[in-house]
Amino acid sequence: MLHYCAPRRWTALLVLLAFLLPQICPAPAQAFFFGGVTIKDEKEMGKKFDIMVRSNLPIIEDPEVKQYVDYMLGRLVKTIPPQPFTFNASTILHNSLNAFAVPGGYVYVFTGLIMNLDKEEELAGVLAHELAHVTQRHVASRLQRAQFVTLGSLLLAVAGVAAGGAGGGAMAVGAMGAGQSAMLNYSRMDETEADHIGLQYLIAAGYPPGGMVGGFKVLRQKSWMSGISVPTYLSTHPALGDRINGLQARIQSMPKAVQDRSQDSKRFTRVKALLWARYGDDQAALQRFSGNDGLSRMGRGIVLARQNRINEASQAFDQALKAAPEDPLVLREAGAFHYRKGDMSRADGLLSKAMRLDPNDYMASFFYARMLDETGRQAQAASHYKDVLRHVPEDSEVHEAYARSLGKAGNTPDAYIHMAYSALYSNNKKLAERYFNQAKSMASRTTDKRAFQRLEAAYKERKEIWDKN
């Protein structure tokens, strides 16, 4: 359910966008919204962009991460003016310190951003800034000033900025044409307005106002210390110090009760620890997890398992369970470790307890289903796979595991449907076509008569993009 993201995938996405977007997002007819783009056009543009992102970049589906980012975005969205679309958040596995939002309400957060900030209000400040770019229609104003810029060019520009650094931007400029390169960057006025409106959203959501300033300072410091690329809104214009000073001056004029707000970052710390354990540099991560609390011991166990130091990892998980016997995340990670180690009895007990304590942890359910499969209980596993897919319907790994379980149970028609989904959502065109055709030949024998129709709709949607490549 979680995958490694090679940086070259951004290049692949940019190349794909350069070719596809002029075809799937041609210059629209004149209308009243977003510089000649109707709300319907905007929603379609955002959806297609999201499909391309999900087809080319790994999305974090771990509920500990996904539900937290959804919660943060929802808390902020409640404070903004009514919008003609629903905001959706995704977390991309990439080490860039970045986040961005595109028309249509799609918001993307990079794991590198979460891993390098210190507090929840800092992450909230970055997200509030990005939401302000959308609500203040900064993209719309640029389209209105440059009517020749198509929606395809706009999305290519967004992808270039998201790639980070000069390379991504240069590729986008080259694909768009020099005359349209102004779309790559917001103006200084746009950035200042997004700072101030975003600060309003941050405060309205109940966060400490210093979160935005603190986040900006952390990102600036990280870039100075390590050369890590920083988000476009910090690097495009040189007056970052003036912007920080302006925000601080506004905060100092606020009531003391607002200035002195506090925010519990416990949940942020858990998510950050999980990401560092899974994806951080081994040595840096081990240094982070030198404590004796359950979360630190769990993180250490995950890192040691990544290094194939199984005995040491097992000891670390035992220590984590001793320190935090009722923490569902610790139980889930320990259960998943013992499942991978082949100790199904231990995995059964740990995962069962994790699910009792946190019924919304569909990753625990996923490993529990796999454990049931390994012990010959396919009928019981099926209900857990179905439940997981209700939460993450586009997770290729879950579809593949469920397909294999169905195959073991002798349900070949439904197995091919889920193998087709697995290939589809892992962007394997050749296998997707093969399994789709096999599912089609057996459609009349599926247990759910509408199952193939749903697969066919998803396949046609993705194939539309593939065929243009």
Side-chain angles (χ1 to χ4, degrees), residues 355 365-390 398 401-406 408-409:
M355 290 188 296
S365 295
F366 176 56
F367 279 102
Y368 189 71
R370 293 171 70 182
M371 182 276 302
L372 290 171
D373 258 340
E374 292 290 335
T375 53
R377 292 175 280 177
Q378 279 73 42
Q380 295 178 50
S383 63
H384 291 282
Y385 282 126
K386 290 177 182 177
D387 180 61
V388 174
L389 286 172
R390 279 193 285 270
V398 179
Y402 187 27
R404 297 189 185 284
S405 180
L406 289 166
K408 290 179 184 178

Coordinates of all heavy atoms in Angstrom, one line a residue, residues 355 365-390 398 401-406 408-409:
M355 N -7.2 -3.8 15.5 CA -8.5 -3.5 14.8 C -9.6 -3.2 15.9 O -10.5 -2.4 15.6 CB -8.9 -4.6 13.9 CG -8.0 -4.8 12.7 SD -8.7 -6.0 11.5 CE -8.5 -7.5 12.4
S365 N -6.5 -4.1 8.9 CA -7.5 -5.0 8.3 C -6.8 -5.7 7.1 O -7.1 -6.9 6.8 CB -8.8 -4.3 7.8 OG -9.5 -3.8 9.0
F366 N -6.1 -4.9 6.3 CA -5.4 -5.5 5.1 C -4.4 -6.6 5.5 O -4.4 -7.7 4.9 CB -4.7 -4.4 4.4 CG -3.9 -4.9 3.2 CD1 -4.5 -5.6 2.2 CD2 -2.6 -4.6 3.1 CE1 -3.8 -6.0 1.0 CE2 -1.8 -5.0 2.0 CZ -2.4 -5.7 0.9
F367 N -3.6 -6.3 6.5 CA -2.6 -7.4 6.9 C -3.3 -8.5 7.6 O -2.9 -9.7 7.5 CB -1.6 -6.8 7.8 CG -0.5 -6.1 7.1 CD1 -0.4 -4.7 7.0 CD2 0.5 -6.8 6.5 CE1 0.6 -4.0 6.3 CE2 1.5 -6.2 5.7 CZ 1.6 -4.8 5.7
Y368 N -4.4 -8.2 8.3 CA -5.2 -9.3 8.9 C -5.8 -10.2 7.8 O -5.8 -11.5 8.0 CB -6.3 -8.7 9.8 CG -7.0 -9.8 10.6 CD1 -6.4 -10.4 11.7 CD2 -8.3 -10.1 10.3 CE1 -7.0 -11.3 12.5 CE2 -9.0 -11.1 11.1 CZ -8.3 -11.7 12.2 OH -9.0 -12.6 12.9
A369 N -6.3 -9.6 6.7 CA -6.8 -10.4 5.6 C -5.7 -11.3 5.0 O -6.0 -12.5 4.7 CB -7.4 -9.5 4.6
R370 N -4.6 -10.7 4.9 CA -3.5 -11.5 4.3 C -3.1 -12.7 5.2 O -2.7 -13.8 4.8 CB -2.3 -10.6 4.0 CG -2.5 -9.6 2.9 CD -1.5 -8.5 2.8 NE -0.2 -9.1 2.3 CZ 0.9 -8.4 2.1 NH1 0.9 -7.1 2.5 NH2 2.0 -8.9 1.6
M371 N -3.1 -12.4 6.5 CA -2.8 -13.4 7.5 C -3.8 -14.6 7.4 O -3.5 -15.8 7.4 CB -2.8 -12.9 8.9 CG -2.4 -13.8 10.0 SD -3.9 -14.8 10.6 CE -5.0 -13.5 11.1
L372 N -5.1 -14.2 7.2 CA -6.2 -15.2 7.1 C -5.9 -16.0 5.8 O -6.2 -17.2 5.8 CB -7.5 -14.5 7.0 CG -8.0 -13.9 8.3 CD1 -9.3 -13.1 8.1 CD2 -8.3 -14.9 9.4
D373 N -5.5 -15.4 4.8 CA -5.2 -16.1 3.5 C -4.1 -17.1 3.7 O -4.2 -18.2 3.2 CB -4.7 -15.1 2.4 CG -5.8 -14.8 1.4 OD1 -6.8 -15.6 1.3 OD2 -5.7 -13.7 0.8
E374 N -3.1 -16.7 4.4 CA -1.9 -17.6 4.6 C -2.3 -18.8 5.4 O -1.6 -19.8 5.4 CB -0.8 -16.8 5.3 CG -0.1 -15.7 4.4 CD 0.7 -16.3 3.3 OE1 1.1 -17.4 3.4 OE2 0.9 -15.6 2.3
T375 N -3.3 -18.6 6.2 CA -3.7 -19.8 7.1 C -5.0 -20.5 6.5 O -5.7 -21.2 7.3 CB -4.0 -19.3 8.5 OG1 -4.9 -18.2 8.5 CG2 -2.7 -18.8 9.2
G376 N -5.3 -20.3 5.3 CA -6.3 -21.0 4.6 C -7.7 -20.6 4.9 O -8.7 -21.3 4.7
R377 N -7.9 -19.3 5.4 CA -9.3 -18.9 5.7 C -9.7 -17.8 4.7 O -10.0 -16.6 5.1 CB -9.3 -18.3 7.1 CG -9.1 -19.4 8.2 CD -8.9 -18.9 9.6 NE -7.6 -18.3 9.8 CZ -7.2 -17.7 11.0 NH1 -8.1 -17.6 12.0 NH2 -6.0 -17.3 11.2
Q378 N -9.9 -18.2 3.4 CA -10.2 -17.2 2.4 C -11.6 -16.6 2.5 O -11.8 -15.4 2.3 CB -10.1 -17.9 1.0 CG -8.7 -18.0 0.4 CD -7.9 -19.1 1.2 OE1 -8.4 -20.2 1.4 NE2 -6.6 -18.8 1.4
A379 N -12.5 -17.4 3.0 CA -13.9 -16.9 3.2 C -13.9 -15.7 4.2 O -14.6 -14.7 4.0 CB -14.8 -18.0 3.6
Q380 N -13.2 -15.8 5.3 CA -13.1 -14.8 6.3 C -12.3 -13.6 5.7 O -12.6 -12.4 6.0 CB -12.4 -15.3 7.6 CG -13.2 -16.4 8.3 CD -12.5 -16.9 9.5 OE1 -12.1 -16.1 10.4 NE2 -12.4 -18.2 9.6
A381 N -11.2 -13.9 5.0 CA -10.4 -12.8 4.4 C -11.2 -11.9 3.5 O -11.0 -10.7 3.5 CB -9.2 -13.4 3.7
A382 N -12.1 -12.5 2.7 CA -12.9 -11.7 1.7 C -13.6 -10.5 2.3 O -13.5 -9.4 1.7 CB -13.9 -12.6 1.0
S383 N -14.2 -10.6 3.5 CA -14.9 -9.5 4.1 C -14.0 -8.4 4.4 O -14.3 -7.2 4.3 CB -15.7 -10.0 5.3 OG -14.9 -10.4 6.3
H384 N -12.8 -8.7 4.9 CA -11.8 -7.7 5.2 C -11.2 -7.0 4.0 O -11.0 -5.8 4.0 CB -10.6 -8.3 6.0 CG -11.1 -8.8 7.4 ND1 -11.2 -7.9 8.5 CD2 -11.4 -10.0 7.9 CE1 -11.6 -8.6 9.5 NE2 -11.7 -9.9 9.2
Y385 N -11.0 -7.8 2.9 CA -10.5 -7.1 1.7 C -11.6 -6.1 1.2 O -11.2 -5.0 0.7 CB -10.2 -8.2 0.6 CG -8.9 -8.9 0.8 CD1 -8.9 -10.3 0.8 CD2 -7.7 -8.3 0.9 CE1 -7.7 -11.0 1.0 CE2 -6.5 -9.0 1.0 CZ -6.5 -10.3 1.1 OH -5.3 -11.0 1.2
K386 N -12.8 -6.5 1.2 CA -13.9 -5.7 0.7 C -14.0 -4.4 1.6 O -14.2 -3.3 1.0 CB -15.2 -6.4 0.8 CG -15.4 -7.5 -0.2 CD -16.7 -8.2 -0.1 CE -16.9 -9.4 -1.0 NZ -18.1 -10.1 -0.8
D387 N -13.8 -4.5 2.8 CA -13.8 -3.4 3.7 C -12.6 -2.4 3.4 O -12.8 -1.2 3.4 CB -13.7 -3.8 5.2 CG -13.8 -2.6 6.1 OD1 -14.8 -1.9 6.1 OD2 -12.8 -2.4 6.9
V388 N -11.5 -3.0 3.2 CA -10.3 -2.2 2.9 C -10.5 -1.4 1.6 O -10.2 -0.2 1.5 CB -9.0 -3.0 2.8 CG1 -7.8 -2.2 2.3 CG2 -8.7 -3.6 4.1
L389 N -11.1 -2.1 0.6 CA -11.3 -1.5 -0.7 C -12.3 -0.4 -0.7 O -12.3 0.5 -1.6 CB -11.7 -2.5 -1.8 CG -10.5 -3.4 -2.2 CD1 -11.0 -4.5 -3.1 CD2 -9.4 -2.6 -3.0
R390 N -13.2 -0.4 0.3 CA -14.1 0.7 0.4 C -13.4 2.0 0.8 O -13.8 3.1 0.5 CB -15.2 0.4 1.5 CG -16.3 -0.5 1.0 CD -17.5 -0.5 2.0 NE -17.2 -1.4 3.1 CZ -17.5 -2.7 3.1 NH1 -18.0 -3.2 2.1 NH2 -17.2 -3.4 4.2
V398 N -3.8 -3.9 -2.8 CA -5.0 -4.6 -2.2 C -5.8 -5.4 -3.2 O -6.2 -6.5 -2.9 CB -5.9 -3.5 -1.5 CG1 -7.1 -4.2 -0.9 CG2 -5.1 -2.7 -0.4
A401 N -3.8 -8.6 -3.9 CA -4.0 -9.6 -2.8 C -5.3 -10.2 -2.8 O -5.5 -11.5 -2.6 CB -3.7 -8.9 -1.5
Y402 N -6.4 -9.4 -3.0 CA -7.7 -9.9 -3.0 C -7.9 -10.9 -4.2 O -8.6 -11.9 -4.1 CB -8.7 -8.8 -3.1 CG -10.2 -9.2 -2.9 CD1 -10.5 -10.3 -2.2 CD2 -11.2 -8.4 -3.5 CE1 -11.9 -10.7 -2.1 CE2 -12.5 -8.7 -3.3 CZ -12.9 -9.9 -2.6 OH -14.2 -10.3 -2.5
A403 N -7.4 -10.5 -5.3 CA -7.5 -11.4 -6.5 C -6.9 -12.8 -6.2 O -7.5 -13.8 -6.6 CB -6.8 -10.7 -7.7
R404 N -5.7 -12.8 -5.6 CA -5.1 -14.1 -5.3 C -5.9 -14.9 -4.3 O -6.0 -16.1 -4.4 CB -3.7 -13.8 -4.8 CG -2.8 -13.2 -5.9 CD -1.3 -13.1 -5.5 NE -0.5 -12.4 -6.5 CZ -0.1 -12.8 -7.6 NH1 -0.5 -14.0 -8.0 NH2 0.6 -12.1 -8.5
S405 N -6.5 -14.2 -3.4 CA -7.4 -14.9 -2.4 C -8.6 -15.5 -3.1 O -9.0 -16.6 -2.8 CB -7.8 -13.9 -1.3 OG -8.6 -14.5 -0.4
L406 N -9.2 -14.7 -4.0 CA -10.3 -15.2 -4.8 C -9.9 -16.4 -5.6 O -10.7 -17.4 -5.8 CB -10.9 -14.1 -5.6 CG -11.6 -13.0 -4.9 CD1 -11.8 -11.8 -5.8 CD2 -13.0 -13.5 -4.4
K408 N -7.5 -18.6 -5.0 CA -7.4 -19.7 -4.1 C -8.8 -20.3 -3.7 O -8.9 -21.5 -3.5 CB -6.7 -19.3 -2.8 CG -5.2 -19.0 -2.9 CD -4.6 -18.5 -1.6 CE -3.2 -18.1 -1.7 NZ -2.7 -17.6 -0.4
A409 N -9.8 -19.4 -3.6 CA -11.1 -19.9 -3.3 C -11.9 -20.5 -4.5 O -13.0 -20.9 -4.3 CB -11.9 -18.8 -2.6

